[in-house]
Coordinates of all heavy atoms in Angstrom, one line a residue:
Chain A
M145 N 25.1 -23.3 -0.9 CA 26.6 -23.5 -0.8 C 27.1 -23.7 -2.3 O 28.3 -23.3 -2.6 CB 27.1 -24.7 0.1 CG 26.5 -26.0 -0.3 SD 27.0 -27.2 1.1 CE 26.4 -28.7 0.4
H146 N 26.4 -24.2 -3.2 CA 26.9 -24.3 -4.5 C 27.1 -22.9 -5.2 O 27.9 -22.7 -6.0 CB 25.9 -25.1 -5.4 CG 24.5 -24.6 -5.5 ND1 23.7 -24.6 -4.4 CD2 23.8 -24.0 -6.4 CE1 22.6 -24.0 -4.7 NE2 22.6 -23.7 -6.0
R147 N 26.3 -22.0 -4.8 CA 26.3 -20.6 -5.2 C 27.5 -19.9 -4.5 O 28.3 -19.2 -5.1 CB 25.1 -19.8 -5.0 CG 23.9 -20.2 -5.8 CD 22.7 -19.3 -5.6 NE 22.8 -18.0 -5.7 CZ 22.5 -17.3 -6.9 NH1 22.1 -17.9 -7.9 NH2 22.7 -16.0 -6.9
V148 N 27.6 -20.1 -3.2 CA 28.6 -19.5 -2.3 C 30.0 -19.9 -2.9 O 30.9 -19.1 -3.1 CB 28.4 -20.0 -0.9 CG1 29.6 -19.6 -0.1 CG2 27.2 -19.3 -0.3
D149 N 30.1 -21.2 -3.3 CA 31.4 -21.6 -3.7 C 31.7 -21.1 -5.1 O 32.9 -21.1 -5.5 CB 31.5 -23.2 -3.8 CG 31.4 -23.7 -2.4 OD1 31.7 -23.0 -1.3 OD2 31.1 -24.9 -2.1
A150 N 30.7 -20.5 -5.9 CA 30.9 -19.9 -7.1 C 31.0 -18.4 -7.0 O 31.0 -17.8 -8.0 CB 29.8 -20.3 -8.0
G151 N 31.1 -17.9 -5.7 CA 31.2 -16.5 -5.5 C 29.9 -15.7 -5.6 O 29.9 -14.5 -5.7
L152 N 28.8 -16.4 -5.4 CA 27.5 -15.8 -5.5 C 26.8 -15.9 -4.1 O 27.0 -16.7 -3.4 CB 26.6 -16.4 -6.5 CG 27.2 -16.5 -7.9 CD1 26.3 -17.5 -8.8 CD2 27.2 -15.1 -8.6
P153 N 26.0 -14.8 -3.8 CA 25.2 -14.9 -2.6 C 24.1 -15.9 -2.8 O 23.7 -16.2 -3.8 CB 24.6 -13.5 -2.4 CG 25.1 -12.7 -3.5 CD 25.7 -13.5 -4.5
P154 N 23.5 -16.3 -1.6 CA 22.3 -17.3 -1.7 C 21.2 -16.6 -2.5 O 21.0 -15.4 -2.6 CB 21.9 -17.4 -0.2 CG 23.2 -17.2 0.6 CD 23.8 -16.1 -0.3
A155 N 20.4 -17.5 -3.0 CA 19.3 -17.0 -3.9 C 18.3 -16.1 -3.3 O 17.8 -15.3 -3.9 CB 18.6 -18.3 -4.5
C156 N 18.0 -16.4 -2.0 CA 17.0 -15.6 -1.3 C 17.5 -14.2 -1.1 O 16.8 -13.2 -1.3 CB 16.8 -16.1 0.1 SG 18.2 -16.4 1.1
V157 N 19.0 -14.0 -1.0 CA 19.4 -12.6 -0.9 C 19.2 -11.7 -2.1 O 18.9 -10.6 -2.0 CB 20.9 -12.7 -0.5 CG1 21.5 -11.4 -0.3 CG2 21.0 -13.5 0.9
I158 N 19.5 -12.4 -3.2 CA 19.4 -11.6 -4.5 C 18.0 -11.3 -4.9 O 17.8 -10.4 -5.8 CB 20.2 -12.2 -5.7 CG1 19.5 -13.4 -6.2 CG2 21.6 -12.5 -5.3 CD1 19.9 -13.8 -7.5
T159 N 17.0 -12.0 -4.4 CA 15.6 -11.7 -4.9 C 14.8 -10.9 -3.9 O 13.9 -10.2 -4.4 CB 14.9 -13.0 -5.1 OG1 14.0 -12.9 -6.2 CG2 14.2 -13.5 -3.8
C160 N 15.2 -10.7 -2.8 CA 14.4 -10.1 -1.7 C 14.0 -8.6 -2.2 O 14.8 -7.8 -2.4 CB 15.1 -9.9 -0.4 SG 14.3 -8.9 0.9
L161 N 12.7 -8.4 -2.1 CA 12.1 -7.2 -2.8 C 12.4 -6.0 -2.0 O 12.5 -4.9 -2.4 CB 10.6 -7.4 -3.0 CG 10.2 -8.6 -3.8 CD1 8.7 -8.4 -4.2 CD2 11.0 -8.7 -5.0
A162 N 12.4 -6.1 -0.6 CA 12.5 -5.0 0.3 C 14.0 -4.8 0.7 O 14.2 -4.0 1.6 CB 11.6 -5.0 1.4
I163 N 14.8 -5.5 0.1 CA 16.3 -5.5 0.5 C 16.5 -5.7 1.9 O 17.2 -4.9 2.6 CB 16.9 -4.1 0.0 CG1 16.2 -3.6 -1.3 CG2 18.4 -4.3 -0.2 CD1 16.5 -4.4 -2.5
T164 N 15.9 -6.8 2.5 CA 16.1 -7.1 3.8 C 17.3 -7.8 4.3 O 17.8 -7.8 5.3 CB 14.9 -7.9 4.5 OG1 15.0 -9.2 3.9 CG2 13.5 -7.3 4.1
R165 N 17.9 -8.4 3.2 CA 19.0 -9.4 3.5 C 20.4 -8.9 3.1 O 20.5 -8.4 2.0 CB 18.7 -10.7 2.8 CG 17.4 -11.4 3.3 CD 17.3 -12.8 2.8 NE 16.0 -13.2 3.4 CZ 15.7 -14.5 3.7 NH1 16.5 -15.4 3.5 NH2 14.5 -14.8 4.2
Q166 N 21.4 -9.2 3.9 CA 22.8 -9.0 3.5 C 23.5 -10.2 3.8 O 23.1 -11.0 4.7 CB 23.4 -7.8 4.4 CG 22.9 -6.4 3.8 CD 21.5 -6.1 4.2 OE1 21.0 -6.4 5.3 NE2 20.7 -5.3 3.4
W167 N 24.5 -10.5 3.2 CA 25.3 -11.7 3.2 C 26.7 -11.4 3.4 O 27.3 -10.5 2.7 CB 25.1 -12.5 1.9 CG 25.9 -13.7 1.8 CD1 26.9 -13.8 0.9 CD2 25.8 -14.9 2.4 NE1 27.5 -15.0 0.9 CE2 26.8 -15.7 1.9 CE3 24.9 -15.5 3.3 CZ2 27.0 -17.1 2.3 CZ3 25.1 -16.8 3.8 CH2 26.1 -17.5 3.3
G168 N 27.5 -12.1 4.3 CA 28.9 -11.8 4.4 C 29.5 -12.6 5.5 O 28.9 -13.7 6.0
H169 N 30.5 -12.1 6.2 CA 31.1 -12.7 7.3 C 30.5 -12.3 8.6 O 30.1 -11.1 8.6 CB 32.6 -12.5 7.3 CG 33.3 -13.2 6.2 ND1 34.1 -12.6 5.3 CD2 33.3 -14.6 5.9 CE1 34.5 -13.5 4.4 NE2 34.1 -14.7 4.8
Y170 N 30.3 -13.1 9.5 CA 29.5 -12.9 10.7 C 30.0 -11.6 11.4 O 29.2 -10.7 11.8 CB 29.6 -14.1 11.6 CG 28.7 -14.0 12.9 CD1 27.6 -14.6 12.8 CD2 29.1 -13.2 13.9 CE1 26.6 -14.5 13.9 CE2 28.2 -13.1 15.1 CZ 27.0 -13.8 15.0 OH 26.2 -13.6 16.1
D171 N 31.3 -11.5 11.6 CA 31.8 -10.3 12.4 C 31.5 -9.1 11.6 O 31.2 -8.0 12.3 CB 33.2 -10.5 12.7 CG 33.5 -11.4 13.9 OD1 32.5 -11.9 14.5 OD2 34.7 -11.7 14.2
Q172 N 31.7 -9.1 10.3 CA 31.5 -7.9 9.4 C 29.9 -7.5 9.6 O 29.6 -6.3 9.7 CB 31.8 -8.2 8.1 CG 31.6 -7.2 7.1 CD 31.8 -7.7 5.6 OE1 31.7 -8.9 5.4 NE2 31.9 -6.8 4.7
L173 N 29.1 -8.5 9.6 CA 27.6 -8.2 9.6 C 27.2 -7.7 11.1 O 26.5 -6.7 11.2 CB 26.7 -9.4 9.3 CG 26.8 -9.8 7.8 CD1 26.1 -11.1 7.7 CD2 26.2 -8.7 6.9
Q174 N 27.8 -8.3 12.0 CA 27.6 -7.8 13.5 C 28.0 -6.4 13.6 O 27.4 -5.6 14.3 CB 28.3 -8.8 14.4 CG 28.0 -8.5 15.9 CD 26.7 -9.2 16.3 OE1 26.7 -10.3 16.9 NE2 25.6 -8.5 16.1
A175 N 29.2 -6.0 13.0 CA 29.7 -4.7 13.1 C 28.8 -3.7 12.4 O 28.6 -2.6 12.8 CB 31.2 -4.6 12.6
T176 N 28.3 -4.1 11.3 CA 27.4 -3.3 10.4 C 26.0 -3.1 11.1 O 25.5 -2.0 10.9 CB 27.2 -3.8 9.1 OG1 28.5 -4.1 8.5 CG2 26.5 -2.8 8.1
Y177 N 25.6 -4.1 11.8 CA 24.2 -4.1 12.4 C 24.4 -4.4 13.8 O 24.0 -5.4 14.3 CB 23.3 -5.1 11.7 CG 23.2 -4.9 10.1 CD1 23.9 -5.7 9.2 CD2 22.4 -3.8 9.7 CE1 23.9 -5.4 8.0 CE2 22.4 -3.5 8.3 CZ 23.1 -4.3 7.5 OH 23.1 -4.1 6.2
P178 N 24.9 -3.5 14.6 CA 25.2 -3.8 16.0 C 24.0 -4.2 16.9 O 24.2 -4.8 17.8 CB 25.9 -2.5 16.5 CG 25.5 -1.5 15.6 CD 25.3 -2.2 14.2
N179 N 22.8 -3.7 16.4 CA 21.7 -4.0 17.2 C 20.9 -5.3 16.8 O 19.9 -5.7 17.4 CB 20.6 -2.8 17.1 CG 21.2 -1.6 17.8 OD1 21.8 -1.7 18.8 ND2 20.9 -0.5 17.2
A180 N 21.5 -5.9 15.8 CA 20.9 -7.2 15.3 C 21.1 -8.3 16.3 O 22.1 -8.3 17.0 CB 21.5 -7.6 14.0
K181 N 20.0 -9.2 16.3 CA 20.0 -10.2 17.4 C 19.9 -11.6 16.7 O 19.3 -11.7 15.7 CB 18.9 -10.0 18.4 CG 18.8 -8.7 19.0 CD 19.0 -8.8 20.5 CE 18.9 -7.3 21.1 NZ 20.1 -6.6 20.9
A182 N 20.3 -12.6 17.3 CA 20.1 -13.9 16.9 C 19.1 -14.6 17.7 O 18.8 -14.3 18.8 CB 21.4 -14.7 17.0

Side-chain angles (χ1 to χ4, degrees):
Chain A
M145 57 186 188
H146 59 289
R147 289 178 60 91
V148 168
D149 291 344
L152 301 168
C156 54
V157 176
I158 67 159
T159 212
C160 175
L161 302 195
I163 325 295
T164 70
R165 297 190 182 212
Q166 285 75 34
W167 170 256
H169 290 121
Y170 189 97
D171 282 355
Q172 177 189 17
L173 289 174
Q174 184 88 91
T176 310
Y177 304 100
N179 295 321
K181 312 238 178 283

